[in-house]
């Protein structure tokens, strides 16, 4: 499922309400099972001396008691999560020495290792190189095929078109349904207001993309 | 068969009850403080540690005047200091660092005033600058208990501290109790600086926490190795300080502080040297 909307449209705020970090100003939030959340920005310290595997294993902290170290089972699960994002061979590498796209994949692996039924991913493709982007998209597809609910916040219209379901959001819910049904010209214009760039393909089909200057990529 | 004179000379600073108790106490406190110092540096809490070290002075002075345990007095002093500093930071239109500086100055002044009412000047000087050569075997036992407790504590919360130091925001999202973990760090920092102050004095205690940590962090080893190395360097700091004091006839705690600073400077130099090497060579160094 894609949460589609411009920056400032409320995607991250909705995620923060779902994770309990923010109290909703109205209504209630009901969650079944645990949520795993991948924040939009990577504010991690790149000079902190941890390996890629260490970072993934951090995802299992809530299930471990203070004196309980990561055992074989946790290590195995973490390596499996790294394998899913194509970084099993980098398990012993220093996290800070990876590229931005690789770090995003490691943080996705840390989200996966939490074994939650629902994954909230805030702009997982923002600022990511094409190779990593492809790996992340394929990983998300596999997670969906396994029956996990994967909710991705994105301003990428093309990404939304390829999803099962789209929620268009710009400070309020504008549409909710299958992309072919809800991603109409009118809904997209309403979602992006004046920020939408309309591009027409060679055969005359209208294509849409959010204005580039609104992309605030992570570092 | 007698001991080789050169070996006897080498071991002279550690000889007898006088040297052995001092070295043992310093090594134990230094080892524990070295590991705590790594977290203090990674969490950017060196200023808080320094503030605690100075502001606990009234607790030390009162304990000395009453003839009770200096460690207990220092810990009570840190608790009171933390309360005063939190209160000072509530002052409107005043930055936290400015409020902390005023609060620390106030508490040091209160400590000096209390000391002027009864504690002798020599005793007061030892509370300010430390007197590790006065250690008894009872002090060594207290230092051993402190090192054991700190070691167990850091072992238990290692992964949570690492997650929080790595990225506080993401630590929250994966379910780490950020507030509690941060409070635990301040707690172990307070106990460590209080214990260090009873050995190295209120003014020099910080050296035992930050010197060894800064001596190893720039070398970019893995986290576990960094903590272990900081403990070893912390223990060595005390012993090297005893040697400097013995051969240069300098005050012991100042010598320990100088040794700590020398380790920190060595770490900085080592880090600069590593940074100038190609990435593959740095990787090999990190794997060790």
């Amino acid at each position: 499922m894609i949460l589609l909307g411009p920056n400032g449209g409320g995607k991250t705020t909705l995620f923060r309400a779902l994770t309990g970090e923010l109290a909703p100003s109205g209504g209630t939030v009901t969650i079944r099972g645990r949520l795993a959340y991948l924040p939009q920005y990577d504010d991690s310290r790149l000079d902190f001396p941890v390996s890629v595997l260490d970072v993934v294993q951090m995802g299992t902290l809530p299930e471990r008691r203070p004196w309980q170290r990561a055992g074989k089972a946790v290590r195995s699960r973490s390596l499996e999560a790294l394998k899913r994002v194509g970084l099993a061979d980098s398990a012993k590498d220093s996290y800070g020495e990876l590229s931005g796209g690789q770090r995003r994949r490691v943080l996705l692996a840390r989200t996966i290792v939490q074994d939650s039924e629902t994954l909230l991913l805030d702009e997982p493709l923002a600022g990511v190189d094409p190779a990593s982007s492809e790996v992340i998209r394929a990983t998300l597809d596999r997670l969906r095929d396994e029956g996990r609910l994967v909710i991705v916040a994105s301003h990428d219209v093309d990404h939304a078109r390829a999803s099962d379901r789209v929620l268009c959001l710009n400070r309020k819910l504008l549409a909710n349904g299958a992309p072919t049904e809800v991603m109409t010209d009118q809904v997209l214009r309403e979602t992006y207001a004046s920020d939408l760039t309309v591009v027409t393909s060679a055969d005359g089909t209208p294509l849409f993309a959010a204005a580039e200057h609104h992309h605030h990529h992570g570092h | 068969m007698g001991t080789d004179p050169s070996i006897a000379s080498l071991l002279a600073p550690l000889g007898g009850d006088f040297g052995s108790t001092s070295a043992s106490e310093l090594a134990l406190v230094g080892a524990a403080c070295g590991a705590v110092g790594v977290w203090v540096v990674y969490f950017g809490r060196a200023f808080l540690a320094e503030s605690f070290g100075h502001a606990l002075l009234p607790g030390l002075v009162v304990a000395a005047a009453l003839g009770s345990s200096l460690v207990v007095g220092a810990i009570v002093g840190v608790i009171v200091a933390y309360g005063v500093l939190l209160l000072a930071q509530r002052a409107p239109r005043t930055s936290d660092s400015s409020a902390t500086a005023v609060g620390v100055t106030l508490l040091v002044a209160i400590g000096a005033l209390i000391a002027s009412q009864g504690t002798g000047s020599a005793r007061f000087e030892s509370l300010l600058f430390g007197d590790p050569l006065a250690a008894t075997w009872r002090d060594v036992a207290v230092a051993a208990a402190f090192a054991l407790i700190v070691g167990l504590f850091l072992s238990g919360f290692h992964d949570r501290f690492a997650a929080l130091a790595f990225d506080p925001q993401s630590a929250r999202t994966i379910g780490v109790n950020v507030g509690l973990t941060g409070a635990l760090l301040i707690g172990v920092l307070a106990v460590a600086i209080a214990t260090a102050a009873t050995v190295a004095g209120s003014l020099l205690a910080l050296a035992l926490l930050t010197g060894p940590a800064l001596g190893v962090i720039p070398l970019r080893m893995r986290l576990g190795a960094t903590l272990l190395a900081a403990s070893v360097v912390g223990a060595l700091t005390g012993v090297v300080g005893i040697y400097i004091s013995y051969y240069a006839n300098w005050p012991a705690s100042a010598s320990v502080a100088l040794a700590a600073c020398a380790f920190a400077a060595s770490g900085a130099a080592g880090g600069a040297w590593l940074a100038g090497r190609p990435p593959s060579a740095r990787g090999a160094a990190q794997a060790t």
Side-chain angles (χ1 to χ4, degrees), chain A residues 116-133:
Chain A
S116 301
E117 289 175 12
T118 305
L119 286 82
L120 307 179
L121 311 175
D122 200 348
E123 303 278 6
L125 304 176
V128 169
D129 60 277
S132 287
S133 178

Side-chain angles (χ1 to χ4, degrees), chain A residues 4-10 168-174 190-193:
Chain A
L4 184 68
N7 285 90
C168 294
L169 200 69
N170 190 352
R171 298 189 171 272
K172 62 179 180 181
L173 183 62
L174 298 168
E190 206 176 338
T191 302
Y192 284 99

Side-chain angles (χ1 to χ4, degrees), chain A residues 54-68:
Chain A
D54 291 334
V55 173
V56 178
Q57 289 181 163
M58 285 176 190
T60 66
L61 269 174
E63 64 190 71
R64 287 190 274 137
R65 291 175 182 164
W67 272 268
Q68 191 180 354

Side-chain angles (χ1 to χ4, degrees), chain A residues 45 49 62 64 66-67 92 94, chain B residues 42 156 159-160 166 174 286:
Chain A
R45 288 184 60 152
R64 287 190 274 137
W67 272 268
K92 291 182 179 175
S94 289
Chain B
Y42 277 131
D159 290 350
R160 280 163 174 76
F166 175 66
I174 59 179
Q286 283 174 20

Side-chain angles (χ1 to χ4, degrees), chain B residues 210-212 214-216 218-219 258-272:
Chain B
T210 53
L214 291 174
V216 297
L219 303 182
L258 278 177
C261 293
F263 277 121
S266 304

